[in-house]
Amino acid sequence: MNSYKIAAIPGDGIGKEVIAAGVEVLHALAARDGSFRLDVETFDWGSDYYKAHGVMMPENGRETLKGFDAIYFGAVGAPDVPDHVTLWGLRLAICQPFDQYANVRPTRILPGIEGPLRNVAARDLDWVIVRENSEGEYAGQGGRSHRGLPEEVATEVSIFTRAGVTRIMRYAFRLAQSRPRKLLTVVTKSNAQRHGMVMWDEIAAEVARDFPDVTWDKMLVDAMTMRMTLKPQSLDTIVATNLHADILSDLAAALAGSLGIAPTANLNPERNFPSMFEPIHGSAFDITGKGIANPVGTFWTATMMLEHLGEKPAAERLMRAIERATADPSLHTPDLGGQATTRQVTDAVIAAIHGDNA
Ligand code: IPM
Ligand code: MG
């Protein structure tokens, strides 16, 4: 029997609530299938850990994580710790050294969910955003000089490397090729950003030659927001830089009905390091502790983790269970306009897993 070691890092705020729900669902799935085992270890890293120890995770944290098959991550961010500390101390401290360069964000309007766009049916919006996750605007290059003086300067330098851009383009073209429409949109801003983004466009064209069956086009990021809103059916697979895709993926999540639903995989496709799976939403301190966080994003994230581990039937079973739950408006949490609790949605998904005989 296949057995997988999962490191759960709930992190902050509702991260703790949704990861607890996700782990329950994963155990139910393993019990239902009987063909694989999950060995889940939970780590209390995050802002509370930071307040007690001065660091977001222990020094040997990454060494510890190397022994796991996958990381199941909640959210980071606390009202009383600066956001750049929490982000760089935990999420980016894992993503970047583990070379999880492909951040993959599927977006669909799930059954029973109403998106905000008029005249857009569920079938009109079925996208996967591929976010470059190792460099670009999040490279961490820059600095500040003459602090506090009128002549203070700060630089925030984007880094684009031929190796980094080529590998994310290849990943995106391959993914587009594997989807029925074989359609890729390369997001850029090469009209204004005339160095890195121009190289980005050139490399896209080079890589495209190896994928003659993929139809692709190029879209400036500002115009892309309009196309996503006005012609969602014209898009399928999308590739964009770290920051552009960060912004577009929030838009995508909103257009699909709620940020509470959207999943992410941070993949190291070569499997030299464990990959990390997390809902897109943040720690949401405004609703923490109320038991009303939407666990669907975390469940959908679990399907991506199972797929990465090679447990496709279990991933599909979980997706069917999620869709049964979203189809029932009485199981909608407040972010979807309903009154359901995290507990109720979790119980319904577990019941659907056990009742699913497909
Ligand atoms: C995301 C988030 C993060 C990001 C935040 C928490 C820094 O918005 O995963 O999209 O910008 O990468
Ligand atoms: Mg974001």
Side-chain angles (χ1 to χ4, degrees), residues 199-340:
M199 185 179 79
W200 170 270
D201 291 358
E202 286 170 11
I203 293 174
E206 285 166 29
V207 171
R209 282 186 224 124
D210 291 338
F211 296 87
D213 56 338
V214 173
T215 308
W216 74 286
D217 62 359
K218 226 166 51 185
M219 201 74 212
L220 296 170
V221 65
D222 47 348
M224 183 66 173
T225 60
M226 290 208 292
R227 182 162 161 198
M228 287 167 71
T229 314
L230 301 177
K231 285 193 188 156
Q233 58 286 14
S234 74
L235 296 163
D236 187 82
T237 310
I238 297 161
V239 62
T241 70
N242 215 328
L243 181 62
H244 290 165
D246 173 43
I247 298 164
L248 295 180
S249 59
D250 268 27
L251 175 60
L255 296 179
S258 169
L259 195 56
I261 288 174
T264 298
N266 298 285
L267 300 176
N268 173 245
E270 290 75 24
R271 297 173 188 258
N272 298 324
F273 300 97
S275 293
M276 180 158 79
F277 301 82
E278 56 170 345
I280 288 193
H281 66 71
S283 47
F285 268 81
D286 52 330
I287 58 162
T288 299
K290 297 189 175 160
I292 54 166
N294 191 345
V296 168
T298 303
F299 298 161
W300 192 348
T301 293
T303 72
M304 299 183 82
M305 183 165 79
L306 289 164
E307 239 172 75
H308 180 75
L309 294 171
E311 297 297 334
K312 201 157 195 271
E316 286 170 354
R317 190 189 306 285
L318 176 53
M319 201 65 219
R320 285 193 296 272
I322 292 168
E323 294 188 356
R324 289 229 358 221
T326 61
D328 178 352
S330 77
L331 291 170
H332 288 182
T333 42
D335 56 300
L336 293 170
Q339 283 168 0

Side-chain angles (χ1 to χ4, degrees), residues 18 33 41 46 93 110 121 125-126 132 139 206 211 222 232 257 335 358:
V18 291
D33 275 56
E41 192 175 333
L110 297 185
L125 201 162
D126 183 352
E132 201 296 316
E206 285 166 29
F211 296 87
D222 47 348
D335 56 300

Side-chain angles (χ1 to χ4, degrees), residues 59-104:
E59 213 177 301
N60 65 352
R62 266 194 307 270
E63 258 335 284
T64 307
L65 291 178
K66 277 188 190 158
F68 287 81
D69 295 302
I71 304 164
Y72 197 33
F73 191 90
V76 281
D80 48 356
V81 182
D83 283 338
H84 65 273
V85 170
T86 52
L87 176 68
W88 283 94
L90 194 58
R91 192 174 162 278
L92 291 182
I94 297 171
C95 281
Q96 294 196 350
F98 280 1
D99 216 13
Q100 296 165 347
Y101 64 82
N103 178 294
V104 181

Side-chain angles (χ1 to χ4, degrees), residues 149-185:
L149 297 176
E151 59 269 36
E152 179 169 0
V153 289
T155 57
E156 192 76 53
V157 182
S158 299
I159 302 291
F160 295 95
T161 64
R162 178 163 283 277
V165 176
T166 304
R167 66 185 184 175
I168 200 65
M169 286 297 170
R170 297 200 79 83
Y171 185 89
F173 271 95
R174 248 195 329 270
L175 181 64
Q177 194 176 44
S178 75
R179 288 170 52 88
R181 293 173 72 193
K182 300 189 193 305
L183 185 64
L184 177 70
T185 299

